[in-house]
Amino acid sequence: MRRARVGVLISGRGSNLQALIDACARPEYPAEIACVISNVADVHGLQRARHAGLPAYAVAHGAFATRDSFDAAMDAILRKAEVEIVCLAGFMRVLSDRFVDGWRGRLINIHPSLLPAFKGLDVYRRILEAGVRISGCTVHFVVPELDSGAIVAQAAVPVRPGDSEDALATRTLAAEHRLYPLALKLLAEGRVRLGNGRAIYNEIDGADGELFSPSPSLSGE
Ligand code: GRF
């Protein structure tokens, strides 16, 4: 089986990176991680990469005069590693249009809300303030506008009455760790691709069932 070569860009603890590392360890998984790049040195995610025996690079954005030159340095590492798909996993820098265009259709990100709701930062506070009862996470193709590219896959997560930001984050993160490997698998197998602003699927069934939150009961219990 041919495995797509993946580069993962991180800035922090790397729990989604770990989920991808674990998925790639499965013999039938159609992707392998060719390199990991962090824009912050000494983050836990880089330790996870090294522990897994992966080439891991710290590319400090502060050492570059411009966004373009920082992105070009990352791009050079990715091209040298013969990367085919780039996964952003908690990568906290905005990428230049040139970088995004260069990886069009092969660059995906995970975001801890049901996009297009709650783009940007400070997501859990805003979700709780809005009082939504169902939240979730989204894997999407990256376009220059933040958190706005075509949606590849989503998972729904209930918001429980009395949830703290931490509780919602923990529940959402558990869903992210299942969703990201699934979405990468679809892309690596060519079962999803970027069309004109929308994802186009091959031979994929939609999900069944509904998520109710709160769970309704008509029986009076
Ligand atoms: C995740 O919640 C992801 O959705 C967001 O940043 C967080 C990264 O967490 N983009 P981790 O570094 O993967 O643990």
Side-chain angles (χ1 to χ4, degrees), residues 85 184-193 200-202 204:
I85 297 172
L184 175 59
K185 176 177 153 76
L186 297 181
L187 188 59
E189 290 176 340
R191 290 162 71 199
V192 64
R193 66 186 165 82
I200 298 172
Y201 300 91
N202 282 331
I204 298 180

Side-chain angles (χ1 to χ4, degrees), residues 24-77:
C24 289
R26 300 163 73 106
E28 76 283 7
Y29 194 75
E32 61 184 325
I33 298 177
C35 66
V36 176
I37 304 175
S38 172
N39 66 308
V40 185
D42 301 328
V43 292
H44 188 50
L46 282 177
Q47 290 174 28
R48 294 179 192 266
R50 292 190 182 114
H51 185 72
L54 299 171
Y57 304 88
V59 181
H61 59 270
F64 294 84
T66 62
R67 192 181 296 283
D68 264 336
S69 56
F70 166 63
D71 288 2
M74 290 194 300
D75 191 72
I77 293 171

Side-chain angles (χ1 to χ4, degrees), residues 12-17 89-90 109-112 124 173 176:
R13 90 194 133 179
S15 69
N16 279 288
L17 166 65
N109 179 46
I110 187 155
H111 181 78
Y124 300 116
L173 205 57
E176 291 184 44

